[in-house]
Amino acid sequence: MYKALMGAAAAVALLGAVGAAEAKTMVYCSEGSPEGFNPQLFTSGTTFDASSRNVYNRLVEFERGTTTVKPGLAERYDVSDDGLTYTFHLRKGVKFQSTKGFTPSRDFNADDVVYSFERQLNPEHPYHKVSGGTYEYFQGMSMPSLLKAVEKVDDQTVRFVLNRPEAPFIANMAMDFASILSAEYADKMQVAGTPEKVDLEPVGTGPFQLVNYQKDAVIRYKAHPDYWRGKGDIDTLVFAITPDASVRYAKIKAGECHVMPFPNPADLAQMRSDPDVNLMSQEGLNIGYLAFNVRKKPFDDVKVRQALNLATNKAAIIEAIYQGAGKVAKNPIPPTIWSYNDKVEDYPYDPEQAKALLKEAGLEGGFETDIWAMPVQRPYNPGARRMAEMIQADWAAIGVKANIVSYEWGEYLKRAQAGEHQTLLLGWTGDNGDPDNFLAVLLGCDAANGGSNYAGWCYKPFDDLIMKAKTVADQGERTKLYEEAQVVFKEQAPWITIAHSVVYQPIRPEVQDWRIDPLGGHYFYGPSLKD
């Protein structure tokens, strides 16, 4: 049973809405505040945990704890022989949640699917520009050019027509950006003159519904009583927003939360022997990197990018930052994913060669730049500030002065997406187990314009390879194309590939049936609490 051992202020904040059934209340010590509650508009796992992974469903979804796609809001789907038409047959009797000012009058149907995709696809859609109208995933995955039409056949059938075959299409449809929102709710909020409420006070078909959100403090949810898979064991879910990893650990030891993400590597040894903690672990499907903004000088010069790769002591970073929980990365995809090219040679740590390349680039005297460092721990980077300081010292040794910059997490991502940085630390945890989700989403030309390509790198020889791989059904042929693309990436060096990490998940002993998600999510439908 959950033991309330917290101080008075925390008890009021977290338990005020919990009620008497303590055994059915789960508290998650989240690492940060969400950017919002509509996963179409954002890309961070913090936001997805707070929204799509617990509030919404998708037409197809990943089997819990795997990268296997299973039926979701669609009971089944059919694919045409030419691979251009996907027909989804929807479940009947699926209930939407309610929220303040809205009670659904009908079940989920095809209108909701069409609305959820048309909002992102059609610039003339009345909701397209609501809340900023930036659909980073949708754009970065080339969805505007891929989708020819999203058509309602009848209330229980939706047809997606593509302009070209897309090998990872079904896996992509299980991702967070493909969450299904309520068209009825959107219509009512538009009539009321408050369309942005759709993105701030979410209504989905998922296992939990939002009760309230106190920014930078707490998010409260209650179980959706009419959830189509059946109500889960947890009645009340509380996100206690706790940015400091040491404080999260103290809270889990004291029984103030049941689950925490992203522990400090320095705490792992103690956690392994701590009777109050069950420390789970799994090799992560992730990459931590430093991106050069190639749209700004001098990073438009490949010699400069190569020089800074050579100047960065990645082995020292792995030892100091990851402390045994990571390994040096040489490719932009993790070695746990198919098509990883192990024949690629990484840049060695060679400051003298770095100086020589800067001289060739006409920068023998060095230059001044910035390094943006994330303010939060992520599975791919447990200590961005310290990492930035180490890179800063490495670059100083070859005459490059770097100033460290940081912002609140949501602001960091917003400014980075706008291209304000010169270099920045970031990373990625795979969404669907397909190489396309790294190579196209993070490095493709479409993703360089409103997507997640923070390097702004659009290189046709690379893009031609990954775009061709999208259209090929045979995995062996796709593998060859992706292996070649990784060679091109390494030569052009739009990033410094830093690390792939092991993911650690500390949970309380009373948490039952918790599974680490290989795609980085935290799901609270399925686990239970032991009395």
Side-chain angles (χ1 to χ4, degrees):
M1 177 180 286
Y2 174 71
K3 306 289 186 183
L5 302 178
M6 60 190 71
V12 170
L14 293 182
L15 299 181
V18 163
E22 289 186 320
K24 299 296 184 182
T25 298
M26 181 172 282
V27 181
Y28 170 61
C29 277
S30 172
E31 78 284 4
S33 297
E35 301 155 275
F37 289 91
N38 180 352
Q40 300 171 338
L41 297 166
F42 306 107
T43 62
S44 80
T46 307
T47 294
F48 293 159
D49 284 342
S51 60
S52 49
R53 292 165 181 167
N54 295 289
V55 174
Y56 294 106
N57 290 123
R58 289 147 291 285
L59 294 175
V60 292
E61 299 190 337
F62 293 108
E63 186 75 45
R64 191 162 69 98
T66 75
T67 57
T68 301
V69 176
K70 66 174 183 177
L73 293 176
E75 290 185 308
R76 61 185 177 87
Y77 63 89
D78 305 316
V79 187
S80 63
D81 290 341
D82 61 6
L84 294 177
T85 303
Y86 288 74
T87 303
F88 292 88
H89 303 275
L90 309 181
R91 294 183 187 276
K92 295 181 179 179
V94 174
K95 309 293 184 186
F96 275 103
Q97 304 150 1
S98 59
T99 190
K100 185 178 180 181
F102 174 73
T103 301
S105 67
R106 63 165 175 81
D107 293 346
F108 155 76
N109 67 26
D111 292 328
D112 304 303
V113 179
V114 172
Y115 160 71
S116 298
F117 284 88
E118 276 289 319
R119 172 179 177 172
Q120 300 177 80
L121 177 64
N122 181 5
E124 303 304 317
H125 191 278
Y127 264 86
H128 184 77
K129 295 180 181 178
V130 172
S131 302
T134 301
Y135 305 95
E136 190 171 328
Y137 257 113
F138 198 80
Q139 177 68 36
M141 296 175 68
S142 307
M143 284 289 173
S145 63
L146 174 66
L147 290 178
K148 182 176 182 180
V150 182
E151 303 169 341
K152 175 182 177 179
V153 178
D154 57 44
D155 278 352
Q156 303 307 130
T157 314
V158 179
R159 181 187 297 125
F160 285 73
V161 183
L162 311 187
N163 285 309
R164 61 177 183 270
E166 180 86 349
F169 182 70
I170 287 298
N172 291 345
M173 291 293 281
M175 290 168 52
D176 300 271
F177 81 93
S179 296
I180 304 302
L181 285 65
S182 167
E184 182 186 20
Y185 180 39
D187 288 344
K188 290 196 173 183
M189 293 304 101
Q190 189 176 32
V191 170
T194 56
E196 66 283 350
K197 284 187 68 174
V198 168
D199 304 325
L200 301 173
E201 300 174 18
V203 168
T205 59
F208 294 96
Q209 57 192 78
L210 181 71
V211 175
N212 58 56
Y213 170 41
Q214 187 177 349
K215 185 173 171 55
D216 298 331
V218 64
I219 314 172
R220 296 184 182 87
Y221 305 85
K222 65 180 180 181
H224 180 194
D226 298 316
Y227 183 48
W228 59 275
R229 285 193 173 109
K231 181 182 170 297
D233 185 72
I234 306 302
D235 294 313
T236 302
L237 175 62
V238 178
F239 277 36
I241 298 167
T242 314
D244 189 298
S246 298
V247 176
R248 293 199 295 274
Y249 181 28
K251 285 185 175 183
I252 208 168
K253 283 176 61 67
E256 295 181 17
C257 61
H258 295 99
V259 179
M260 64 165 281
F262 319 134
N264 280 327
D267 292 334
L268 295 175
Q270 183 179 352
M271 286 181 174
R272 289 187 181 97
S273 60
D274 192 330
D276 294 320
V277 175
N278 175 12
L279 183 64
M280 304 174 69
S281 65
Q282 181 172 286
E283 191 163 357
L285 193 74
N286 60 43
I287 172 72
Y289 62 84
L290 180 141
F292 301 109
N293 188 342
V294 303
R295 291 170 171 161
K296 293 184 176 181
K297 291 184 177 296
F299 303 112
D300 58 337
D301 189 333
V302 66
K303 290 182 179 179
V304 174
R305 302 195 301 265
Q306 291 173 341
L308 293 179
N309 266 272
L310 290 162
T312 303
N313 189 343
K314 296 197 291 189
I317 289 172
I318 296 297
E319 182 179 356
I321 306 299
Y322 294 86
Q323 300 184 33
K327 56 180 143 186
V328 169
K330 65 179 181 179
N331 289 322
I333 64 173
T336 50
I337 205 168
W338 60 270
S339 83
Y340 180 83
N341 190 348
D342 201 31
K343 294 180 181 178
V344 168
E345 291 189 14
D346 201 6
Y347 292 94
Y349 174 51
D350 190 337
E352 293 306 312
Q353 188 181 352
K355 290 177 184 177
L357 276 176
L358 284 185
K359 184 176 181 180
E360 289 180 26
L363 293 168
E364 184 176 6
F367 60 93
E368 187 170 348
T369 188
D370 61 32
I371 300 172
W372 284 29
M374 299 172 295
V376 295
Q377 295 93 358
R378 304 306 300 150
Y380 46 75
N381 190 334
R385 179 77 191 195
R386 176 64 181 132
M387 185 183 293
E389 290 169 351
M390 294 183 72
I391 295 172
Q392 180 187 50
D394 287 340
W395 291 1
I398 64 166
V400 175
K401 180 183 178 182
N403 304 301
I404 298 174
V405 176
S406 193
Y407 298 96
E408 180 272 330
W409 185 219
E411 187 71 10
Y412 184 94
L413 293 171
K414 180 181 178 181
R415 288 173 176 265
Q417 213 279 330
E420 294 183 16
H421 60 288
Q422 292 176 288
T423 79
L424 89 164
L425 291 170
L426 207 58
W428 193 257
T429 297
D431 293 289
N432 60 19
D434 194 289
D436 177 80
N437 183 242
F438 288 81
L439 299 175
V441 173
L442 303 181
L443 294 160
C445 288
D446 284 342
N449 297 292
S452 297
N453 183 343
Y454 292 100
W457 183 64
C458 177
Y459 189 64
K460 191 173 186 301
F462 176 89
D463 205 63
D464 286 348
L465 289 166
I466 63 170
M467 292 304 288
K468 184 177 180 181
K470 285 175 176 282
T471 67
V472 176
D474 180 71
Q475 186 167 309
E477 191 174 344
R478 291 184 75 201
T479 292
K480 292 177 183 177
L481 292 165
Y482 287 139
E483 286 177 343
E484 189 177 346
Q486 289 167 71
V487 172
V488 175
F489 164 86
K490 205 65 190 178
E491 290 172 350
Q492 291 297 309
W495 294 355
I496 299 175
T497 51
I498 296 173
H500 307 294
S501 74
V502 175
V503 175
Y504 287 92
Q505 183 76 76
I507 63 175
R508 293 278 305 173
E510 57 266 33
V511 177
Q512 304 293 298
D513 197 25
W514 185 269
R515 299 181 192 177
I516 294 180
D517 175 31
L519 304 174
H522 295 90
Y523 294 87
F524 299 92
Y525 181 80
S528 61
L529 292 174
K530 181 172 62 179
D531 290 336

